[in-house]
Amino acid sequence: MNLLILEDEQLASDRLVGMLHDIDQELKIVGVLKSIDEGQKWFDSNELPDLVISDIRLLDGLSFDLFRNLELDVPVIFTTAYDQYAIKAFEVNSIDYLLKPILKDKLVAAIEKFKERKANNKFPADFESLYDLIQNQKKSFKSRFLIKSGVKIVAVSIEKVAYFYSQNKLTYLVTKDGKKFPLDQTLEVLEEQLDPDVFMRANRQFIVSFGSISEIHPYFKGRLKIELEPASDLEIVISAEKTPDFKGWLDQ
């Protein structure tokens, strides 16, 4: 069986590939792609795989866009880190979904469901209806992060996150109890995934949660300087241009 993976987080895709090989060593993974653009190019030059496992949100948009635009007749198992994200849509259309972090027994069950339906030629994949349902729902935001910690992989819920920052072209997540983890995503990608009522882009280097701000001080030339809890070794200054938006965010 030829299987294509669409997943924009390296750690998640590595873990998925490992589980798939454990489940069935005869599975042939024909590609691991991170974006709609990569998917477009791949499908333009390759035969359809037997099965696609695809994250809902890729680097450049919803994976539904790819399937709709190419009018692909291919069975898909969707994955999502959003625990309330279009679940009803999948139930209505009888398309499998896996909630991240993906559990091995759930993946096994989804593969078996695919094999059963393949034998009966039953793939009711209505991508147009799925897309409409997704677009009409209230936007959901990221609820957890799958992170490598030493030899372990852990899931950090969004409620435990104090802030994010970048340094030397790397991105870090800092929890409320002071733990620091590296992330694959840039701050620009994270900004799209986070609830703007809870998190704000303070400057080019920091995204902070409301609860992480311990002190705010007036600074030179109309700027603000903020202190975070847990404390950061880096100075965090809000520009004069961003100060009104920052104050409005605090006072909403």
Side-chain angles (χ1 to χ4, degrees), residues 63-83:
S63 58
F64 294 132
D65 289 329
L66 175 65
F67 302 120
R68 290 170 65 246
N69 294 340
L70 294 180
E71 298 182 352
L72 297 175
D73 183 18
V74 58
V76 181
I77 296 172
F78 289 104
T79 68
T80 176
Y82 303 85
D83 51 9

mmCIF file of all heavy atoms in Angstrom, residues 63-83:
data_model
loop_
_atom_site.group_PDB
_atom_site.id
_atom_site.type_symbol
_atom_site.label_atom_id
_atom_site.label_comp_id
_atom_site.label_asym_id
_atom_site.label_seq_id
_atom_site.Cartn_x
_atom_site.Cartn_y
_atom_site.Cartn_z
ATOM 1 N N SER A 63 -5.606 21.921 4.164
ATOM 2 C CA SER A 63 -5.338 20.858 3.189
ATOM 3 C C SER A 63 -6.550 20.595 2.307
ATOM 4 O O SER A 63 -6.414 20.078 1.197
ATOM 5 C CB SER A 63 -4.927 19.567 3.910
ATOM 6 O OG SER A 63 -5.928 19.141 4.816
ATOM 7 N N PHE A 64 -7.758 20.967 2.767
ATOM 8 C CA PHE A 64 -8.948 20.807 1.938
ATOM 9 C C PHE A 64 -8.793 21.539 0.606
ATOM 10 O O PHE A 64 -9.323 21.111 -0.423
ATOM 11 C CB PHE A 64 -10.186 21.346 2.652
ATOM 12 C CG PHE A 64 -10.569 20.566 3.876
ATOM 13 C CD1 PHE A 64 -10.851 21.213 5.050
ATOM 14 C CD2 PHE A 64 -10.634 19.184 3.853
ATOM 15 C CE1 PHE A 64 -11.203 20.510 6.186
ATOM 16 C CE2 PHE A 64 -10.979 18.464 4.973
ATOM 17 C CZ PHE A 64 -11.263 19.132 6.149
ATOM 18 N N ASP A 65 -8.084 22.675 0.623
ATOM 19 C CA ASP A 65 -7.886 23.444 -0.612
ATOM 20 C C ASP A 65 -7.213 22.593 -1.682
ATOM 21 O O ASP A 65 -7.570 22.642 -2.860
ATOM 22 C CB ASP A 65 -7.030 24.683 -0.341
ATOM 23 C CG ASP A 65 -7.773 25.736 0.452
ATOM 24 O OD1 ASP A 65 -9.006 25.819 0.309
ATOM 25 O OD2 ASP A 65 -7.128 26.464 1.214
ATOM 26 N N LEU A 66 -6.220 21.803 -1.258
ATOM 27 C CA LEU A 66 -5.495 20.953 -2.199
ATOM 28 C C LEU A 66 -6.417 19.916 -2.812
ATOM 29 O O LEU A 66 -6.461 19.747 -4.038
ATOM 30 C CB LEU A 66 -4.337 20.263 -1.469
ATOM 31 C CG LEU A 66 -3.541 19.230 -2.269
ATOM 32 C CD1 LEU A 66 -2.807 19.901 -3.418
ATOM 33 C CD2 LEU A 66 -2.559 18.497 -1.356
ATOM 34 N N PHE A 67 -7.188 19.215 -1.977
ATOM 35 C CA PHE A 67 -8.054 18.144 -2.471
ATOM 36 C C PHE A 67 -9.185 18.693 -3.337
ATOM 37 O O PHE A 67 -9.576 18.078 -4.332
ATOM 38 C CB PHE A 67 -8.615 17.348 -1.294
ATOM 39 C CG PHE A 67 -7.551 16.756 -0.421
ATOM 40 C CD1 PHE A 67 -7.456 17.098 0.917
ATOM 41 C CD2 PHE A 67 -6.621 15.871 -0.934
ATOM 42 C CE1 PHE A 67 -6.465 16.562 1.727
ATOM 43 C CE2 PHE A 67 -5.633 15.331 -0.138
ATOM 44 C CZ PHE A 67 -5.550 15.671 1.190
ATOM 45 N N ARG A 68 -9.705 19.856 -2.981
ATOM 46 C CA ARG A 68 -10.797 20.461 -3.753
ATOM 47 C C ARG A 68 -10.298 20.944 -5.106
ATOM 48 O O ARG A 68 -10.902 20.687 -6.146
ATOM 49 C CB ARG A 68 -11.413 21.630 -2.996
ATOM 50 C CG ARG A 68 -12.217 21.250 -1.771
ATOM 51 C CD ARG A 68 -12.595 22.457 -0.941
ATOM 52 N NE ARG A 68 -13.495 23.350 -1.647
ATOM 53 C CZ ARG A 68 -13.174 24.578 -2.023
ATOM 54 N NH1 ARG A 68 -11.976 25.059 -1.788
ATOM 55 N NH2 ARG A 68 -14.065 25.327 -2.655
ATOM 56 N N ASN A 69 -9.199 21.681 -5.098
ATOM 57 C CA ASN A 69 -8.692 22.281 -6.335
ATOM 58 C C ASN A 69 -8.262 21.241 -7.359
ATOM 59 O O ASN A 69 -8.432 21.420 -8.562
ATOM 60 C CB ASN A 69 -7.520 23.217 -6.024
ATOM 61 C CG ASN A 69 -7.942 24.430 -5.215
ATOM 62 O OD1 ASN A 69 -9.130 24.787 -5.193
ATOM 63 N ND2 ASN A 69 -6.996 25.069 -4.550
ATOM 64 N N LEU A 70 -7.688 20.124 -6.877
ATOM 65 C CA LEU A 70 -7.234 19.073 -7.787
ATOM 66 C C LEU A 70 -8.326 18.049 -8.078
ATOM 67 O O LEU A 70 -8.140 17.176 -8.921
ATOM 68 C CB LEU A 70 -6.010 18.367 -7.202
ATOM 69 C CG LEU A 70 -4.745 19.203 -7.058
ATOM 70 C CD1 LEU A 70 -3.618 18.358 -6.469
ATOM 71 C CD2 LEU A 70 -4.312 19.783 -8.395
ATOM 72 N N GLU A 71 -9.466 18.163 -7.353
ATOM 73 C CA GLU A 71 -10.576 17.218 -7.510
ATOM 74 C C GLU A 71 -10.072 15.780 -7.389
ATOM 75 O O GLU A 71 -10.344 14.918 -8.231
ATOM 76 C CB GLU A 71 -11.291 17.443 -8.845
ATOM 77 C CG GLU A 71 -11.912 18.831 -8.962
ATOM 78 C CD GLU A 71 -12.660 19.019 -10.262
ATOM 79 O OE1 GLU A 71 -12.577 18.150 -11.140
ATOM 80 O OE2 GLU A 71 -13.328 20.066 -10.401
ATOM 81 N N LEU A 72 -9.328 15.536 -6.314
ATOM 82 C CA LEU A 72 -8.709 14.229 -6.115
ATOM 83 C C LEU A 72 -9.706 13.218 -5.583
ATOM 84 O O LEU A 72 -10.464 13.500 -4.667
ATOM 85 C CB LEU A 72 -7.548 14.353 -5.126
ATOM 86 C CG LEU A 72 -6.383 15.240 -5.557
ATOM 87 C CD1 LEU A 72 -5.375 15.357 -4.422
ATOM 88 C CD2 LEU A 72 -5.705 14.676 -6.797
ATOM 89 N N ASP A 73 -9.703 12.047 -6.169
ATOM 90 C CA ASP A 73 -10.522 10.937 -5.697
ATOM 91 C C ASP A 73 -9.604 10.002 -4.921
ATOM 92 O O ASP A 73 -9.155 8.973 -5.421
ATOM 93 C CB ASP A 73 -11.178 10.225 -6.876
ATOM 94 C CG ASP A 73 -12.100 9.101 -6.413
ATOM 95 O OD1 ASP A 73 -12.473 9.110 -5.228
ATOM 96 O OD2 ASP A 73 -12.422 8.223 -7.230
ATOM 97 N N VAL A 74 -9.308 10.378 -3.680
ATOM 98 C CA VAL A 74 -8.357 9.630 -2.879
ATOM 99 C C VAL A 74 -8.842 9.611 -1.428
ATOM 100 O O VAL A 74 -9.310 10.626 -0.918
ATOM 101 C CB VAL A 74 -6.941 10.260 -2.980
ATOM 102 C CG1 VAL A 74 -6.947 11.707 -2.537
ATOM 103 C CG2 VAL A 74 -5.929 9.463 -2.184
ATOM 104 N N PRO A 75 -8.790 8.448 -0.757
ATOM 105 C CA PRO A 75 -9.204 8.388 0.653
ATOM 106 C C PRO A 75 -8.204 9.096 1.550
ATOM 107 O O PRO A 75 -6.988 9.006 1.342
ATOM 108 C CB PRO A 75 -9.245 6.888 0.946
ATOM 109 C CG PRO A 75 -8.334 6.282 -0.054
ATOM 110 C CD PRO A 75 -8.424 7.126 -1.282
ATOM 111 N N VAL A 76 -8.718 9.819 2.550
ATOM 112 C CA VAL A 76 -7.870 10.622 3.423
ATOM 113 C C VAL A 76 -8.232 10.371 4.887
ATOM 114 O O VAL A 76 -9.408 10.343 5.236
ATOM 115 C CB VAL A 76 -8.021 12.129 3.125
ATOM 116 C CG1 VAL A 76 -7.107 12.944 4.046
ATOM 117 C CG2 VAL A 76 -7.713 12.436 1.673
ATOM 118 N N ILE A 77 -7.223 10.184 5.703
ATOM 119 C CA ILE A 77 -7.379 10.214 7.156
ATOM 120 C C ILE A 77 -6.805 11.549 7.614
ATOM 121 O O ILE A 77 -5.626 11.825 7.396
ATOM 122 C CB ILE A 77 -6.625 9.060 7.838
ATOM 123 C CG1 ILE A 77 -7.212 7.708 7.424
ATOM 124 C CG2 ILE A 77 -6.673 9.210 9.360
ATOM 125 C CD1 ILE A 77 -6.401 6.519 7.908
ATOM 126 N N PHE A 78 -7.650 12.387 8.207
ATOM 127 C CA PHE A 78 -7.195 13.697 8.639
ATOM 128 C C PHE A 78 -6.675 13.655 10.068
ATOM 129 O O PHE A 78 -7.142 12.884 10.897
ATOM 130 C CB PHE A 78 -8.337 14.715 8.546
ATOM 131 C CG PHE A 78 -8.711 15.075 7.138
ATOM 132 C CD1 PHE A 78 -9.852 14.559 6.564
ATOM 133 C CD2 PHE A 78 -7.922 15.932 6.401
ATOM 134 C CE1 PHE A 78 -10.204 14.887 5.261
ATOM 135 C CE2 PHE A 78 -8.260 16.264 5.103
ATOM 136 C CZ PHE A 78 -9.404 15.738 4.528
ATOM 137 N N THR A 79 -5.702 14.527 10.350
ATOM 138 C CA THR A 79 -5.208 14.692 11.708
ATOM 139 C C THR A 79 -5.386 16.148 12.113
ATOM 140 O O THR A 79 -5.413 17.040 11.267
ATOM 141 C CB THR A 79 -3.725 14.297 11.840
ATOM 142 O OG1 THR A 79 -2.925 15.243 11.105
ATOM 143 C CG2 THR A 79 -3.479 12.906 11.304
ATOM 144 N N THR A 80 -5.526 16.385 13.416
ATOM 145 C CA THR A 80 -5.714 17.755 13.878
ATOM 146 C C THR A 80 -5.263 17.899 15.325
ATOM 147 O O THR A 80 -5.402 16.977 16.122
ATOM 148 C CB THR A 80 -7.187 18.192 13.767
ATOM 149 O OG1 THR A 80 -7.345 19.496 14.324
ATOM 150 C CG2 THR A 80 -8.119 17.230 14.484
ATOM 151 N N ALA A 81 -4.694 19.059 15.647
ATOM 152 C CA ALA A 81 -4.317 19.366 17.020
ATOM 153 C C ALA A 81 -5.421 20.142 17.726
ATOM 154 O O ALA A 81 -5.268 20.521 18.879
ATOM 155 C CB ALA A 81 -3.026 20.183 17.041
ATOM 156 N N TYR A 82 -6.528 20.386 17.041
ATOM 157 C CA TYR A 82 -7.619 21.181 17.588
ATOM 158 C C TYR A 82 -8.733 20.243 18.033
ATOM 159 O O TYR A 82 -9.418 19.649 17.215
ATOM 160 C CB TYR A 82 -8.151 22.162 16.539
ATOM 161 C CG TYR A 82 -7.081 23.078 16.000
ATOM 162 C CD1 TYR A 82 -6.252 22.687 14.956
ATOM 163 C CD2 TYR A 82 -6.898 24.341 16.553
ATOM 164 C CE1 TYR A 82 -5.262 23.520 14.464
ATOM 165 C CE2 TYR A 82 -5.908 25.180 16.064
ATOM 166 C CZ TYR A 82 -5.102 24.774 15.030
ATOM 167 O OH TYR A 82 -4.123 25.603 14.549
ATOM 168 N N ASP A 83 -8.914 20.112 19.333
ATOM 169 C CA ASP A 83 -9.812 19.067 19.828
ATOM 170 C C ASP A 83 -11.283 19.345 19.571
ATOM 171 O O ASP A 83 -12.123 18.461 19.737
ATOM 172 C CB ASP A 83 -9.571 18.780 21.310
ATOM 173 C CG ASP A 83 -9.583 20.023 22.160
ATOM 174 O OD1 ASP A 83 -9.944 21.100 21.640
ATOM 175 O OD2 ASP A 83 -9.245 19.925 23.341
#
